[in-house]
Amino acid sequence: MQNINFNTISFRVRYGETDQMGVVYHGNYAQYLEMGRVEWLRHRGISYKKLEESGIILPVISLNINFKKSALYDDLITVETILKKIPSVKIEFDYKIYNEKGEILITANTVLAFVDAIKKRPIKCPEEVLKVLLKE
């Protein structure tokens, strides 16, 4: 049985994401994590865009990246995204990014808060999101 809290996406490092030595600029990893997170939600039928349209935003309130090895231009990398626990007011993900040799490039963790876009106040995880997560 597939782990419902787990998802992966793979893509190639683009030239513009690297420095003159062909090494991925460290700031780009936050975007890679976002890609993993958005695809994790999409894989479960939850559209980040529709959440925003319904007045719910998910700002990152914590980001921790541990760098192990550099990703290079044209590397095929895989972002592994894992939901750490059932969300409440916050949703937390752990990540690993691998290269095509299976070497771990980074480990990371993000915490995001469910926030009412108009009131700018934290709210509980929407029921429709919880239903999707709990039914799996």
Side-chain angles (χ1 to χ4, degrees):
M1 184 171 165
Q2 179 185 357
N3 180 347
I4 56 136
N5 297 329
F6 175 89
N7 194 57
T8 62
I9 62 164
S10 297
F11 52 91
R12 290 216 176 265
V13 172
R14 297 172 296 187
Y15 183 79
E17 297 166 342
T18 64
D19 60 20
Q20 288 182 327
M21 297 177 294
V23 173
V24 170
Y25 171 67
H26 72 277
N28 286 321
Y29 287 95
Q31 292 179 38
Y32 298 163
L33 302 178
E34 179 183 13
M35 292 167 61
R37 208 169 40 245
V38 169
E39 288 306 313
W40 185 94
L41 289 165
R42 186 186 320 276
H43 184 72
R44 281 147 190 84
I46 301 167
S47 165
Y48 192 89
K49 183 177 180 181
K50 286 183 182 172
L51 278 176
E52 285 187 338
E53 288 170 352
S54 72
I56 299 166
I57 56 175
L58 281 166
V60 174
I61 59 173
S62 173
L63 167 64
N64 182 18
I65 301 175
N66 296 303
F67 296 93
K68 309 289 185 189
K69 188 173 176 114
S70 296
L72 305 172
Y73 169 63
D74 205 39
D75 277 356
L76 179 65
I77 61 174
T78 299
V79 179
E80 176 183 289
T81 306
I82 301 166
L83 178 68
K84 196 158 182 181
K85 60 185 173 186
I86 297 297
S88 57
V89 174
K90 300 174 187 173
I91 186 166
E92 185 172 357
F93 295 96
D94 285 334
Y95 310 84
K96 290 180 184 169
I97 297 183
Y98 299 89
N99 62 18
E100 52 197 311
K101 296 176 189 171
E103 299 168 320
I104 295 176
L105 305 176
I106 71 156
T107 58
N109 174 273
T110 59
V111 180
L112 297 89
F114 291 96
V115 173
D116 181 300
I118 295 169
K119 297 178 183 174
K120 305 291 190 244
R121 306 291 281 164
I123 59 173
K124 288 184 179 177
C125 177
E127 283 297 318
E128 60 271 16
V129 173
L130 278 177
K131 284 180 187 174
V132 168
L133 297 179
L134 294 174
K135 80 174 181 178
E136 294 184 356

